Amino acid sequence: MADSLDRSTNINLLKEPLVKKLCDVLDKSNHKGWRKLGEIVGNDKRFKVSSDDMEMCSLRVLEVEGSPSLMLLRLMGERGCTTNHLIDYLQSLGNSEALQCLKSPALQILIQPQSVALICGHNLRLSCHAVGKSPVQYQWFKSREEVPNSTSPDLVISPVHLKDAGFYICRVNSGDVCEFSQWAQVDVLNVGMSYGHSYHSLDGRVKLVMQPQFQRLHVGETLQLECGAVGRPIPRYQWHRNGVPIPNTTKRKLMIPHVMQEHHGRYRCEITSSTERMWTNEVDVVIAPRISVQITGAMECSEDDIYAIGEGSSDLFLNSIPEQLYATDKVALLIGNLSYQNHPQLKAPMVDVYDLTNILRQLNFKVVSLLDLTESEMRNAVDEFLLLLHKGVYGLLYYAGHGYENYGNSFMVPVDAPNPYRSANCLCVQSILKLMQEKETGLNVFLLDMCRKRNIHDDSTPNIVLRVTANIVFGYATCQDAEAFELSSTGFTNGVFVRFLKKRLLDDEKITVVLDRVAEDMGQFDATKGKQALEIRSSLSERRALTDPILPGDSVDLVHAQSHQWAKAHELPESMCLNFDCGAQIKLGFAAEFSNVLVIYTHIVKKPEDMSFCQAHVTDFSHDLDVDPKEMNRETPEETGIYLLSSSLPQHCLYTRLSSLQKLKEELVFTVCLQGTFAAMDDDHPIHWTKSINIGKPLIARLDLHRAMRRNSCLQTCLMPHSPSHSPCHSPGPEHHLHLYHGSHHSQDYNRLSPQHHYMDIYEHPHGAMGGFGVSYYDNLSQCGYEPAYDSGGVLGSPGRCSIPIEASDDINELQTVFINSLQLQPQ
């Protein structure tokens, strides 16, 4: 009895499901329930359960879901009662049902399959892991049909097709004992190449991959709107019209047959999961009446046929609908530089890039988000970005970090830029725009979160000739010859620009209207009023919006080839289970915080019964990644620097964060080390088992951005003919060394402009406090000479961890009953 429980364990440390089951039994029993148990314990002077204690327990019945048994067990636990004592008391009580709760189950399912929504063509993996006293056998079912060749703990369908959507369950056998897992629903979305093919791995977050489209119908026709999201657990849907929920519309597809005039309006869908909530674009549904017009009493024609009225008759004007504009694709490159080698360190770019990545993916942008790039890495990343641009594409480039502006040209500063830096060490934004224009893009958006002060060390005058096009929008975080700011505090939060930008970016408005509203919001922010103001430059003549739908153009094959290349930057390794000779099993999982930041976590799935201590950690990483061993294999994500993704990661693991994946030259090989001790061992010295793991090149590492020279497009364009120095990508000659030495004479002038000498304290009212813990705090507003004062962020709270529930809709419950009943009729 209680073989799986440590009899010396205090009963307050028992698992919650076990305690709940035990309390349910004791609460419902009249003669062998909690009152009789209290009398038995009261006679044992060790735990001193008095009549007053029993009265306090009885009052629990007056509370909603109150449990007298739970109160009694807590009192006993506080006074030192162990599992062994409790078993003795239950035996004296004679409650065999209560004792059964403490028995070791002959078969126990440890990992339940999770419902999931994913894109057609991706890989489906459902997992069910169990332990039993006898060898465990598995069999997967789809509805009531066995899935062929599915007798392992993991059901893998690669690639998944539309026909694979449905409900799945796993039957687990151990000897003569049989258990069924919970049901898992699989939703497969048929999403074309224009929608988010970057989602190659599900990291627990819900991602919007399909937006509803504008509809113009006649009375009596059928309205069909469709949206879709992928993730675990499977997302839930609720459609709204004109801001009001539509009853009984909780599916991905909204269908209204025989529409009437009253169905006219603006529609959008609310998508939720256990921890997240997002909205689709809001789209217009226009319901036009069927109009017939008689001319001279003889000819009748429908509204669709009318194109002109003869002379002498009145013109007929119908309500005109603005033409819907489309993008042939949407691509975004987000760069946040914060760990500078020769300049002040920043904090906010990491949070800004993370938040914008999630928002742009909801708008169906293919996004690559990168932190801390050197000059050559930035140039190569831009080259990869340019490869995806073709006619009609919406291209967006966001940069946060140090920067400057000379003679109307903006320069982004890499993390390895020397002090002082010049144009040859930086990337010119206007040069990149020139290359984008050659691709005949439909919309070019630049969001530059950096300072625009003049660089006194750079006298170059670039001669960049841009084409006259009507598709360019610049959103500068600050005005010309001014600084950009971030709020300085002890944690992380957004910079001033993104703080207001992220609240407006999903608006279904022309992009210049969106930025105008952001400018108005920033203008009301007391901390930077009069110091920083958003500046918008635009040559946009059409109503182009980031919410515009995607309609692939003629170059479909080219789009597919380029999308495949870009998708490489999002490929995560598959999670895996490692079996060690000692009988332990370790799950190794992966997640992406950014396109060049990988998270590895290890979890012990199974350990031998006689093993008293068991721990698994990762080690022996490539020197290219420069991983600090002290920050690896930590018990919480925050301890290893994973602040933004922590709520999406599984619990009870050891976590390691690998940044700067773009520097990885070879395949990523590392070691998983298992340490364990056995109860029979004389000493506590652990035994080691190791396994070497090769996960290839994950995420951005596949694009080899570390190479100094890959293409000449961005490099040649960014180099200016009158530049006073040469690019570090070339071998420096004597002249280059001379220029650097000359620059050092200005170091004292530069130091006088450093943030330490331009510092002000700004108090932000508590109701405006950002992020985190919801408490008021003093924000320090940093300013930096000709460089951006993009210093540090506010407080980033650790989001509360929520367990991910298994889907439990009425459909699943009904299917459960039908399925189990049908199996009882089948021969074993």
Side-chain angles (χ1 to χ4, degrees):
M1 187 175 295
D3 295 334
S4 65
L5 300 175
D6 184 351
R7 286 176 173 260
S8 62
T9 300
N10 186 290
I11 61 174
N12 279 349
L13 299 179
L14 294 176
K15 294 184 178 179
E16 183 180 350
L18 186 153
V19 174
K20 184 178 185 304
K21 186 176 179 180
L22 178 60
C23 290
D24 288 341
V25 173
L26 294 174
D27 285 339
K28 295 174 183 177
S29 178
N30 293 326
H31 304 294
K32 299 180 179 180
W34 68 273
R35 290 187 182 276
K36 186 64 176 178
L37 175 63
E39 293 177 10
I40 296 174
V41 177
N43 295 327
D44 189 336
K45 296 181 180 180
R46 290 175 298 178
F47 304 119
K48 301 177 183 177
V49 175
S50 64
S51 57
D52 291 338
D53 292 333
M54 293 297 293
E55 182 67 23
M56 185 170 57
C57 293
S58 66
L59 293 176
R60 291 292 179 180
V61 298
L62 303 177
E63 302 176 4
V64 178
E65 298 183 358
S67 171
S69 301
L70 180 60
M71 184 66 188
L72 176 60
L73 293 178
R74 285 178 177 172
L75 288 173
M76 293 166 58
E78 290 172 359
R79 295 164 190 181
C81 182
T82 66
T83 304
N84 190 51
H85 296 135
L86 179 58
I87 291 172
D88 291 340
Y89 294 141
L90 292 177
Q91 288 175 337
S92 299
L93 182 64
N95 192 327
S96 58
E97 187 179 359
L99 281 168
Q100 191 68 27
C101 297
L102 299 177
K103 282 187 177 181
S104 173
L107 177 62
Q108 185 178 10
I109 297 179
L110 301 179
I111 297 179
Q112 295 280 359
Q114 296 183 11
S115 296
V116 61
L118 71 170
I119 296 174
C120 183
H122 288 191
N123 298 331
L124 168 66
R125 180 187 294 271
L126 298 176
S127 297
C128 176
H129 290 266
V131 293
K133 294 183 177 179
S134 302
V136 177
Q137 297 175 328
Y138 300 85
Q139 176 61 56
W140 287 89
F141 293 80
K142 180 186 177 187
S143 294
R144 289 185 288 176
E145 301 294 330
E146 288 190 8
V147 179
N149 304 317
S150 60
T151 57
S152 66
D154 295 318
L155 173 63
V156 178
I157 301 178
S158 177
V160 68
H161 299 93
L162 292 178
K163 63 181 178 62
D164 297 315
F167 295 91
Y168 290 80
I169 194 171
C170 186
R171 183 180 65 201
V172 185
N173 291 81
S174 178
D176 58 353
V177 181
C178 174
E179 291 285 346
F180 284 93
S181 72
Q182 295 177 335
W183 285 95
Q185 182 181 358
V186 175
D187 187 15
V188 182
L189 282 67
N190 186 16
V191 179
M193 289 298 295
S194 59
Y195 287 107
H197 248 252
S198 58
Y199 307 122
H200 277 247
S201 178
L202 300 176
D203 57 9
R205 301 185 65 87
V206 173
K207 300 178 177 66
L208 180 61
V209 298
M210 185 184 298
Q211 295 276 10
Q213 304 297 318
F214 165 81
Q215 299 283 315
R216 188 176 192 275
L217 305 170
H218 291 99
V219 171
E221 295 182 337
T222 299
L223 169 63
Q224 297 186 63
L225 293 175
E226 183 177 3
C227 66
V230 297
R232 298 181 193 268
I234 197 166
R236 298 183 294 274
Y237 300 87
Q238 175 60 59
W239 287 91
H240 293 246
R241 182 173 70 88
N242 298 331
V244 179
I246 306 173
N248 304 317
T249 56
T250 57
K251 305 295 184 183
R252 286 198 301 108
K253 298 180 181 179
L254 170 65
M255 180 177 294
I256 303 177
H258 309 295
V259 293
M260 306 298 290
Q261 283 287 144
E262 57 264 27
H263 293 123
H264 174 97
R266 294 179 66 81
Y267 288 73
R268 65 173 177 169
C269 187
E270 179 185 18
I271 303 175
T272 56
S273 71
S274 59
T275 59
E276 294 179 278
R277 176 175 177 262
M278 63 182 64
W279 293 87
T280 66
N281 296 341
E282 193 171 42
V283 297
D284 287 312
V285 173
V286 179
I287 311 297
R290 290 191 177 276
I291 303 174
S292 62
V293 181
Q294 286 191 345
I295 301 178
T296 68
M299 181 176 66
E300 181 174 330
C301 59
S302 69
E303 172 195 9
D304 296 331
D305 298 326
I306 296 175
Y307 61 92
I309 304 296
E311 293 183 5
S313 62
S314 301
D315 292 340
L316 179 64
F317 294 97
L318 300 176
N319 291 333
S320 61
I321 305 300
E323 179 185 0
Q324 175 67 62
L325 298 175
Y326 296 90
T328 57
D329 203 354
K330 297 180 183 178
V331 186
L333 174 62
L334 313 184
I335 299 176
N337 285 343
L338 52 156
S339 301
Y340 280 87
Q341 300 171 13
N342 304 303
H343 304 283
Q345 304 288 296
L346 311 177
K347 285 187 178 180
M350 180 174 70
V351 189
D352 292 343
V353 168
Y354 184 84
D355 286 347
L356 290 183
T357 296
N358 292 329
I359 294 173
L360 290 172
R361 282 178 175 165
Q362 294 181 47
L363 295 170
N364 293 323
F365 273 82
K366 297 184 179 74
V367 183
V368 164
S369 56
L370 300 169
L371 298 182
D372 292 332
L373 300 186
T374 63
E375 181 193 347
S376 61
E377 292 165 355
M378 285 182 71
R379 295 190 190 281
N380 288 334
V382 170
D383 284 342
E384 294 291 345
F385 174 65
L386 293 171
L387 283 177
L388 267 86
L389 302 183
H390 49 87
K391 187 173 182 179
V393 171
Y394 287 10
L396 184 147
L397 191 148
Y398 170 81
Y399 170 75
H402 289 315
Y404 69 95
E405 182 172 308
N406 275 13
Y407 307 104
N409 291 284
S410 304
F411 294 90
M412 302 180 292
V413 181
V415 294
D416 62 341
N419 183 3
Y421 45 69
R422 298 179 175 82
S423 60
N425 313 122
C426 306
L427 273 72
C428 178
V429 174
Q430 283 69 24
S431 300
I432 298 172
L433 174 59
K434 183 176 184 295
L435 295 171
M436 293 176 69
Q437 286 185 312
E438 295 173 0
K439 306 283 188 174
E440 299 183 356
T441 43
L443 176 65
N444 296 316
V445 179
F446 290 82
L447 302 175
L448 300 177
D449 206 347
M450 64 184 201
C451 285
R452 299 173 64 194
K453 296 286 288 184
R454 183 178 178 275
N455 183 355
I456 60 175
H457 302 289
D458 183 13
D459 293 327
S460 61
T461 55
N463 183 22
I464 304 171
V465 180
L466 296 175
R467 294 168 51 195
V468 178
T469 57
N471 63 353
I472 304 170
V473 177
F474 275 96
Y476 293 97
T478 191
C479 294
Q480 189 173 9
D481 201 31
E483 293 90 2
F485 297 94
E486 65 177 16
L487 298 171
S488 176
S489 186
T490 56
F492 295 92
T493 192
N494 293 117
V496 175
F497 178 34
V498 174
R499 175 181 182 177
F500 298 101
L501 177 66
K502 68 179 185 180
K503 298 177 181 179
R504 298 286 188 180
L505 212 52
L506 290 175
D507 292 352
D508 187 17
E509 298 285 354
K510 185 178 179 181
I511 179 60
T512 51
V513 173
V514 171
L515 293 176
D516 278 333
R517 292 175 179 173
V518 175
E520 294 172 1
D521 295 340
M522 288 178 61
Q524 302 302 314
F525 186 43
D526 292 335
T528 55
K529 187 178 293 185
K531 306 177 185 70
Q532 178 178 349
L534 179 65
E535 181 177 327
I536 306 166
R537 293 184 184 180
S538 171
S539 62
L540 197 58
S541 59
E542 299 174 303
R543 191 191 176 279
R544 297 279 178 181
L546 298 185
T547 55
D548 288 343
I550 297 176
L551 185 64
D554 299 330
S555 305
V556 177
D557 292 338
L558 176 62
V559 174
H560 285 197
Q562 293 171 340
S563 296
H564 177 71
Q565 177 73 3
W566 196 246
K568 289 182 179 180
H570 300 87
E571 291 182 359
L572 272 173
E574 292 284 347
S575 61
M576 59 187 75
C577 284
L578 307 178
N579 295 303
F580 289 83
D581 294 338
C582 62
Q585 187 179 72
I586 307 300
K587 183 177 181 181
L588 188 64
F590 307 89
E593 193 171 31
F594 297 91
S595 299
N596 64 338
V597 178
L598 178 70
V599 175
I600 302 178
Y601 51 90
T602 58
H603 175 66
I604 299 173
V605 176
K606 175 185 176 182
K607 72 172 184 177
E609 294 183 0
D610 57 343
M611 181 177 281
S612 57
F613 169 77
C614 183
Q615 187 179 71
H617 64 273
V618 294
T619 185
D620 298 334
F621 287 100
S622 168
H623 295 295
D624 296 336
L625 299 180
D626 192 23
V627 185
D628 186 353
K630 296 180 181 179
E631 297 181 357
M632 295 165 49
N633 302 294
R634 308 305 293 267
E635 294 184 353
T636 66
E638 291 79 10
E639 287 181 288
T640 190
I642 309 167
Y643 298 99
L644 306 176
L645 200 63
S646 58
S647 62
S648 302
L649 295 173
Q651 302 182 48
H652 311 302
C653 300
L654 293 182
Y655 308 90
T656 297
R657 183 178 188 264
L658 304 179
S659 58
S660 301
L661 288 182
Q662 74 278 3
K663 301 185 185 300
L664 192 63
K665 296 181 175 63
E666 305 293 339
E667 293 183 335
L668 183 54
V669 179
F670 59 93
T671 301
V672 177
C673 181
L674 176 70
Q675 294 179 318
T677 58
F678 294 88
M681 294 173 57
D682 295 333
D683 56 17
D684 294 332
H685 187 71
I687 302 175
H688 294 75
W689 297 266
T690 61
K691 282 186 179 292
S692 180
I693 305 297
N694 185 340
I695 60 172
K697 289 189 173 182
L699 301 174
I700 200 69
R702 290 175 175 265
L703 299 184
D704 294 334
L705 300 187
H706 57 81
R707 298 182 183 176
M709 282 282 288
R710 296 185 55 205
R711 301 178 181 87
N712 295 327
S713 56
C714 175
L715 180 61
Q716 288 183 344
T717 309
C718 289
L719 283 176
M720 304 307 163
H722 303 294
S723 173
S725 63
H726 301 290
S727 171
C729 293
H730 299 283
S731 300
E735 182 183 1
H736 180 68
H737 288 288
L738 178 62
H739 283 299
L740 292 179
Y741 178 75
H742 174 74
S744 66
H745 290 295
H746 300 278
S747 60
Q748 291 182 342
D749 295 333
Y750 171 76
N751 289 334
R752 285 198 297 270
L753 296 172
S754 65
Q756 288 84 347
H757 296 84
H758 290 263
Y759 202 82
M760 2 179 197
D761 293 331
I762 303 293
Y763 172 71
E764 184 175 55
H765 196 270
H767 74 262
M770 292 181 288
F773 305 111
V775 297
S776 59
Y777 59 94
Y778 286 91
D779 291 323
N780 297 321
L781 190 65
S782 302
Q783 177 182 354
C784 175
Y786 70 80
E787 295 197 289
Y790 213 117
D791 199 35
S792 57
V795 180
L796 178 69
S798 301
R801 297 177 175 272
C802 299
S803 59
I804 300 178
I806 301 300
E807 190 74 13
S809 67
D810 293 337
D811 294 338
I812 290 182
N813 293 333
E814 181 180 356
L815 188 62
Q816 171 89 9
T817 303
V818 174
F819 177 72
I820 297 301
N821 291 338
S822 68
L823 287 181
Q824 291 173 350
L825 300 177
Q826 296 177 0
Q828 294 294 326

